Amino acid sequence: GGKTMANEKILCIEDEPQMIDLIRLILETGGYRVVAAQGGEEGLEMMRSDRPDLILLDIMMPEMDGGDVYHRMQQEPDLIQIPVIVVTAKAAPIDKVLWMNVAQVDDYVTKPFGPDDLLISVERVLARHAGRVPASL
């Protein structure tokens, strides 16, 4: 496709530094800008101060899990519009059903994942949102 270098900014909320490094490597290779938060509270702060185009949200985090983060986002009009991809090692089929159909996140990627899995998911979700999300100033 005709890939524009829009340099969308992706916020990765993840408690494992190695996983952040891996995600950063994959996505920066794909032409994205990556910012990372090690935990939910920090992630929410970063969303508010510096609106990302997309959020990669880990579910299993010690201090505040991904479900809590997502729930908080739903209560803030500014944050509810940001697309979310859940990234998790907890891969029970029912979890995916709940996240996709009940919480209605934009995608669900299970660890371990290959670089292409992540890039394809990110590109698909961003493309879907590009049609209806106003460009940030």
Side-chain angles (χ1 to χ4, degrees):
K3 206 169 157 31
T4 55
M5 290 303 286
N7 265 348
E8 290 100 336
K9 184 170 55 201
I10 299 172
L11 170 60
C12 172
I13 305 177
E14 164 69 67
D15 64 318
E16 298 168 50
Q18 305 92 319
M19 186 51 82
I20 289 176
D21 289 343
L22 174 66
I23 288 173
R24 189 187 296 277
L25 187 68
I26 293 171
L27 293 178
E28 286 180 350
T29 304
Y32 298 102
R33 286 183 296 144
V34 180
V35 289
Q38 275 187 281
E41 287 290 356
E42 187 187 348
L44 285 162
E45 288 303 316
M46 288 175 77
M47 283 175 221
R48 293 182 189 116
S49 62
D50 193 21
R51 275 276 301 268
D53 296 295
L54 174 76
I55 291 164
L56 292 178
L57 180 59
D58 186 21
I59 303 203
M60 309 289 281
M61 294 184 290
E63 144 257 350
M64 177 183 191
D65 73 26
D68 295 333
V69 175
Y70 190 70
H71 185 67
R72 293 266 287 274
M73 287 178 67
Q74 299 310 295
Q75 299 170 327
E76 300 190 29
D78 278 353
L79 304 185
I80 201 168
Q81 324 208 2
I82 307 173
V84 173
I85 297 175
V86 167
V87 179
T88 182
K90 188 177 159 201
I94 187 65
D95 289 321
K96 178 165 188 171
V97 169
L98 290 172
W99 276 100
M100 294 294 292
N101 297 296
V102 181
Q104 298 192 324
V105 294
D106 294 273
D107 208 352
Y108 186 99
V109 175
T110 48
K111 302 176 192 174
F113 50 80
D116 289 349
D117 301 332
L118 190 61
L119 278 171
I120 288 168
S121 172
V122 164
E123 278 175 22
R124 194 172 53 214
V125 170
L126 283 170
R128 203 184 313 152
H129 274 260
R132 55 192 184 82
V133 173
S136 51
L137 300 175

